[in-house]
């Protein structure tokens, strides 16, 4: 339900309902052709690793959510 709601709110976005940490899934969904990638899990380390992977696969903008400042 949430993925459908997000897709309706952001018509130009490709909302993936699946394991966002699965590199194979991200590549199958077109990560290498994206204009931007946003890592928004609740785990800072996971967001950092996802962003590094995305940056190695796309020329698009990469945004990383980090909660801990230290």
């Amino acid at each position: 339900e949430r993925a459908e709601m997000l897709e309706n709110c952001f018509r130009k976005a490709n909302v993936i309902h699946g394991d966002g940490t699965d590199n194979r899934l991200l590549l199958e969904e077109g990560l290498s052709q994206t204009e931007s990638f946003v890592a928004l899990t609740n785990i800072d380390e996971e967001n950092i690793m996802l962003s590094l992977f995305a940056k190695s696969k796309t020329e698009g903008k990469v945004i990383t959510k980090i909660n801990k400042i230290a």
Side-chain angles (χ1 to χ4, degrees):
E1 285 181 18
R2 185 168 183 122
E4 289 176 6
M5 185 266 306
L6 289 170
E7 209 162 50
N8 288 331
C9 289
F10 303 100
R11 300 251 182 227
K12 293 183 179 182
N14 181 17
V15 178
I16 300 169
H17 182 245
D19 184 357
T21 63
D22 182 352
N23 294 346
R24 194 173 332 129
L25 173 64
L26 294 173
L27 292 172
E28 287 174 3
E29 292 294 330
L31 175 63
S32 60
Q33 291 87 31
T34 61
E35 294 178 14
S36 59
F37 176 87
V38 183
L40 297 173
T41 73
N42 290 324
I43 303 168
D44 290 350
E45 296 81 2
E46 198 168 86
N47 288 340
I48 292 168
M49 296 305 293
L50 284 167
S51 294
L52 288 171
F53 176 73
K55 195 62 179 167
S56 73
K57 300 298 180 187
T58 183
E59 295 293 319
K61 185 173 187 170
V62 175
I63 300 171
T64 309
K65 174 188 166 197
I66 298 178
N67 296 310
K68 296 178 191 173
I69 295 174

